Structures are given as C-alpha cells and as structure tokens.
Amino acid sequence: MRHGKKFNHLGRKKGHRDALLKNLSISLITHKRINTTLAKAKALRVHLEPLVTKAKDNTTHSRRVVFSYLQNKEAAKELFGPVAEKVGDRPGGYLRIIKTGFRKGDAAEMAMIEFVDFNTVYNNSNSTSGSKRRRRRGGAKTAGAATAAVAAKTTADAKSEEE
C-alpha cells in the first residue's frame, strides 16, 4: 500500500528513481537548462531545490551532504560556485518549469526545466519592469504624490506657455 507517499514514483523502483534524479540533477547543474517530461521535471524540482538551498552556505558539512546526493565532484563545484552566487539572495524557487508541448512518439507531455537566475531573457525584462511595478498596499500615497507632482508640472508648463 502507498499510504502517505505523495511523491511521484515515476514507474521505477527506488534505486532506479534515485539514479534517474541524480543524473538529471547533474545534467541540469552543468547545462543550466534541460528538456525532459513534465513528471520528471516536477520530481527533479522537489529533489534539487533543497540541494540548492544547502549550497547557499558553503560549509564542509553542506558540501558533503550535497555530494552524497550528486556523487559528482564537478557538479558539486558548479553548484557551490556560480549557481550559489546567483541564487544567494533568493529565498527559494530556484527552478522554472516551462511546458513545451507533447512528444511525437508517445504523446508524453514535455517540459523545459531551468535555473531562474541563469535565463537572461526573463531576467532582463523583469529587471526593467521591476522598478515600475505597481503595488496595491500603500500605493495611494505614492501614486497621489506622483499625480500631484505631474499636475503641478503641467500647470507650471501651461503658465509658462501663456507668458
């Protein structure tokens, strides 16, 4: 019986599933973006995000814990190096899953999983629009002040044009 077991077994026994998630994790860390099925991508996100959180504090213990999951020295170096630098201030949500349609052979739903901070296309657009982002809480005070400043400027321009 599978009482209380909420994770996706992916149609594999435990050893095979662990090896699959380990290999997918290593590929994602080295390439920063991989294409796989949606079910594997969701399972990989649950598997890898705690490891990225561990990598944010660079201690011997956290390195050993992460290495016990990955069993790859190069991937561990990459995770504790450039990946940890980019995600250092992020409180979670290090991976993004984007659905890419269905595979032609068996109609499995495919997805692209990637590190959020390594995609320059999304980061550039978010950084420019992030400063202009409107917020509902407390926005009336700042919006009112900005509207008053614009109104004062337009009236001053109108007066200068009349003179």
Side-chain angles (χ1 to χ4, degrees):
M1 287 183 274
R2 57 176 308 275
H3 293 305
K5 296 182 179 173
K6 295 185 185 279
F7 62 90
N8 193 344
H9 295 280
L10 300 173
R12 292 161 169 84
K13 300 270 174 102
K14 182 177 180 357
H16 189 184
R17 187 172 52 248
D18 290 344
L20 171 77
L21 291 173
K22 182 193 323 181
N23 289 328
L24 284 173
S25 300
I26 292 167
S27 296
L28 183 62
I29 290 168
T30 55
H31 299 295
K32 310 298 186 273
R33 177 186 299 159
I34 58 171
N35 292 313
T36 183
T37 63
L38 183 63
K40 288 178 189 173
K42 287 179 177 180
L44 179 61
R45 180 171 53 186
V46 171
H47 177 78
L48 192 58
E49 288 212 357
L51 299 182
V52 177
T53 303
K54 275 270 191 220
K56 285 165 66 171
D57 61 327
N58 191 0
T59 61
T60 305
H61 177 66
S62 61
R63 278 184 174 271
R64 285 179 176 166
V65 169
V66 169
F67 184 76
S68 72
Y69 281 92
L70 294 179
Q71 295 292 313
N72 189 315
K73 194 181 288 188
E74 298 303 318
K77 280 184 193 175
E78 185 78 17
L79 186 61
F80 279 89
V83 175
E85 288 175 9
K86 289 238 183 173
V87 301
D89 56 342
R90 183 177 287 275
Y94 313 112
L95 300 174
R96 176 187 295 131
I97 296 175
I98 301 171
K99 295 179 182 179
T100 57
F102 296 93
R103 188 163 49 198
K104 191 173 184 180
D106 59 353
E109 193 166 8
M110 299 298 287
M112 178 179 66
I113 183 167
E114 64 183 0
F115 280 103
V116 172
D117 295 314
F118 283 90
N119 190 333
T120 57
V121 175
Y122 287 126
N123 289 347
N124 288 342
S125 63
N126 286 344
S127 63
T128 57
S129 65
S131 60
K132 299 177 190 175
R133 184 173 157 193
R134 293 185 58 177
R135 298 193 173 107
R136 288 179 181 254
R137 300 173 98 187
K141 296 174 190 172
T142 58
T147 308
V150 170
K153 185 176 181 179
T154 54
T155 54
D157 291 339
K159 287 181 183 178
S160 64
E161 287 179 8
E162 289 175 8
E163 291 176 357

Short mmCIF file of all heavy atoms in Angstrom, two decimals, residues 20-42:
data_model
loop_
_atom_site.label_atom_id
_atom_site.label_comp_id
_atom_site.label_asym_id
_atom_site.label_seq_id
_atom_site.Cartn_x
_atom_site.Cartn_y
_atom_site.Cartn_z
N LEU A 20 18.05 8.08 -11.53
CA LEU A 20 17.49 8.98 -12.54
C LEU A 20 17.54 10.42 -12.06
O LEU A 20 17.99 11.32 -12.79
CB LEU A 20 16.04 8.57 -12.84
CG LEU A 20 15.25 9.55 -13.70
CD1 LEU A 20 15.66 9.40 -15.15
CD2 LEU A 20 13.78 9.33 -13.54
N LEU A 21 17.10 10.67 -10.83
CA LEU A 21 17.09 12.04 -10.31
C LEU A 21 18.50 12.57 -10.12
O LEU A 21 18.76 13.76 -10.33
CB LEU A 21 16.31 12.09 -9.00
CG LEU A 21 14.80 11.86 -9.15
CD1 LEU A 21 14.14 11.76 -7.80
CD2 LEU A 21 14.17 12.94 -9.99
N LYS A 22 19.44 11.71 -9.76
CA LYS A 22 20.83 12.12 -9.62
C LYS A 22 21.39 12.55 -10.97
O LYS A 22 22.01 13.61 -11.10
CB LYS A 22 21.66 10.98 -9.05
CG LYS A 22 23.11 11.33 -8.84
CD LYS A 22 24.03 10.17 -8.57
CE LYS A 22 23.46 9.06 -7.75
NZ LYS A 22 24.43 7.97 -7.51
N ASN A 23 21.15 11.74 -12.02
CA ASN A 23 21.66 12.08 -13.34
C ASN A 23 20.99 13.32 -13.91
O ASN A 23 21.65 14.16 -14.54
CB ASN A 23 21.47 10.89 -14.29
CG ASN A 23 22.40 9.76 -13.97
OD1 ASN A 23 23.51 9.98 -13.50
ND2 ASN A 23 21.97 8.54 -14.20
N LEU A 24 19.68 13.48 -13.70
CA LEU A 24 19.00 14.69 -14.15
C LEU A 24 19.54 15.91 -13.41
O LEU A 24 19.71 16.98 -14.02
CB LEU A 24 17.49 14.56 -13.95
CG LEU A 24 16.73 13.67 -14.92
CD1 LEU A 24 15.29 13.51 -14.48
CD2 LEU A 24 16.78 14.23 -16.33
N SER A 25 19.81 15.77 -12.13
CA SER A 25 20.34 16.89 -11.35
C SER A 25 21.71 17.32 -11.85
O SER A 25 21.98 18.51 -12.01
CB SER A 25 20.45 16.51 -9.87
OG SER A 25 19.21 16.17 -9.34
N ILE A 26 22.56 16.34 -12.12
CA ILE A 26 23.90 16.65 -12.63
C ILE A 26 23.81 17.35 -13.98
O ILE A 26 24.49 18.34 -14.24
CB ILE A 26 24.75 15.37 -12.71
CG1 ILE A 26 25.05 14.85 -11.30
CG2 ILE A 26 26.04 15.60 -13.48
CD1 ILE A 26 25.60 13.45 -11.27
N SER A 27 22.94 16.85 -14.86
CA SER A 27 22.77 17.48 -16.17
C SER A 27 22.25 18.90 -16.05
O SER A 27 22.71 19.80 -16.75
CB SER A 27 21.81 16.66 -17.03
OG SER A 27 22.35 15.40 -17.28
N LEU A 28 21.29 19.11 -15.16
CA LEU A 28 20.73 20.45 -15.00
C LEU A 28 21.76 21.42 -14.42
O LEU A 28 21.85 22.57 -14.85
CB LEU A 28 19.49 20.40 -14.11
CG LEU A 28 18.77 21.73 -13.92
CD1 LEU A 28 18.27 22.26 -15.25
CD2 LEU A 28 17.63 21.56 -12.96
N ILE A 29 22.55 20.95 -13.48
CA ILE A 29 23.56 21.83 -12.87
C ILE A 29 24.62 22.20 -13.89
O ILE A 29 25.05 23.35 -13.96
CB ILE A 29 24.18 21.16 -11.63
CG1 ILE A 29 23.14 21.10 -10.51
CG2 ILE A 29 25.41 21.90 -11.16
CD1 ILE A 29 23.53 20.20 -9.36
N THR A 30 25.04 21.24 -14.72
CA THR A 30 26.11 21.55 -15.68
C THR A 30 25.60 22.36 -16.87
O THR A 30 26.30 23.25 -17.34
CB THR A 30 26.76 20.26 -16.19
OG1 THR A 30 25.76 19.40 -16.72
CG2 THR A 30 27.49 19.55 -15.07
N HIS A 31 24.39 22.09 -17.34
CA HIS A 31 23.89 22.77 -18.55
C HIS A 31 22.95 23.93 -18.25
O HIS A 31 22.61 24.68 -19.17
CB HIS A 31 23.18 21.77 -19.45
CG HIS A 31 24.07 20.67 -19.93
ND1 HIS A 31 25.15 20.87 -20.75
CD2 HIS A 31 24.06 19.34 -19.67
CE1 HIS A 31 25.75 19.73 -21.00
NE2 HIS A 31 25.11 18.78 -20.34
N LYS A 32 22.45 24.05 -17.02
CA LYS A 32 21.55 25.12 -16.57
C LYS A 32 20.15 25.03 -17.16
O LYS A 32 19.27 25.77 -16.75
CB LYS A 32 22.11 26.52 -16.87
CG LYS A 32 23.52 26.76 -16.44
CD LYS A 32 23.68 26.64 -14.96
CE LYS A 32 25.06 27.02 -14.52
NZ LYS A 32 26.01 25.94 -14.57
N ARG A 33 19.93 24.15 -18.13
CA ARG A 33 18.60 24.00 -18.74
C ARG A 33 18.54 22.65 -19.44
O ARG A 33 19.45 22.33 -20.21
CB ARG A 33 18.38 25.11 -19.76
CG ARG A 33 17.09 25.02 -20.52
CD ARG A 33 17.01 26.05 -21.61
NE ARG A 33 17.07 27.39 -21.04
CZ ARG A 33 17.41 28.46 -21.73
NH1 ARG A 33 17.75 28.35 -22.99
NH2 ARG A 33 17.45 29.64 -21.16
N ILE A 34 17.49 21.87 -19.17
CA ILE A 34 17.34 20.58 -19.86
C ILE A 34 15.88 20.39 -20.25
O ILE A 34 14.98 21.01 -19.67
CB ILE A 34 17.80 19.38 -18.99
CG1 ILE A 34 17.05 19.32 -17.68
CG2 ILE A 34 19.29 19.43 -18.75
CD1 ILE A 34 17.31 18.06 -16.88
N ASN A 35 15.66 19.55 -21.24
CA ASN A 35 14.33 19.17 -21.66
C ASN A 35 14.05 17.75 -21.20
O ASN A 35 14.88 16.85 -21.42
CB ASN A 35 14.19 19.25 -23.18
CG ASN A 35 14.26 20.65 -23.68
OD1 ASN A 35 13.60 21.54 -23.15
ND2 ASN A 35 15.06 20.89 -24.71
N THR A 36 12.89 17.54 -20.58
CA THR A 36 12.51 16.23 -20.10
C THR A 36 10.98 16.18 -20.02
O THR A 36 10.32 17.14 -20.41
CB THR A 36 13.16 15.94 -18.73
OG1 THR A 36 12.83 14.63 -18.32
CG2 THR A 36 12.74 16.94 -17.68
N THR A 37 10.45 15.08 -19.53
CA THR A 37 9.00 15.01 -19.39
C THR A 37 8.57 15.87 -18.20
O THR A 37 9.35 16.16 -17.30
CB THR A 37 8.51 13.57 -19.19
OG1 THR A 37 9.07 13.07 -17.97
CG2 THR A 37 8.92 12.69 -20.35
N LEU A 38 7.31 16.24 -18.21
CA LEU A 38 6.79 17.11 -17.15
C LEU A 38 6.85 16.43 -15.79
O LEU A 38 7.22 17.05 -14.79
CB LEU A 38 5.35 17.52 -17.48
CG LEU A 38 4.70 18.49 -16.51
CD1 LEU A 38 5.43 19.81 -16.51
CD2 LEU A 38 3.24 18.70 -16.89
N ALA A 39 6.54 15.14 -15.73
CA ALA A 39 6.57 14.42 -14.45
C ALA A 39 7.99 14.36 -13.89
O ALA A 39 8.20 14.57 -12.69
CB ALA A 39 6.01 13.02 -14.63
N LYS A 40 8.96 14.11 -14.75
CA LYS A 40 10.36 14.06 -14.29
C LYS A 40 10.82 15.45 -13.86
O LYS A 40 11.58 15.60 -12.91
CB LYS A 40 11.27 13.53 -15.38
CG LYS A 40 11.13 12.04 -15.63
CD LYS A 40 12.04 11.62 -16.75
CE LYS A 40 11.77 10.20 -17.17
NZ LYS A 40 12.53 9.82 -18.37
N ALA A 41 10.38 16.49 -14.57
CA ALA A 41 10.77 17.85 -14.21
C ALA A 41 10.22 18.23 -12.85
O ALA A 41 10.93 18.84 -12.03
CB ALA A 41 10.29 18.83 -15.28
N LYS A 42 8.98 17.87 -12.58
CA LYS A 42 8.40 18.19 -11.28
C LYS A 42 9.09 17.42 -10.16
O LYS A 42 9.34 17.95 -9.08
CB LYS A 42 6.90 17.88 -11.28
CG LYS A 42 6.10 18.87 -12.10
CD LYS A 42 4.63 18.50 -12.08
CE LYS A 42 3.80 19.52 -12.84
NZ LYS A 42 2.37 19.16 -12.83
#
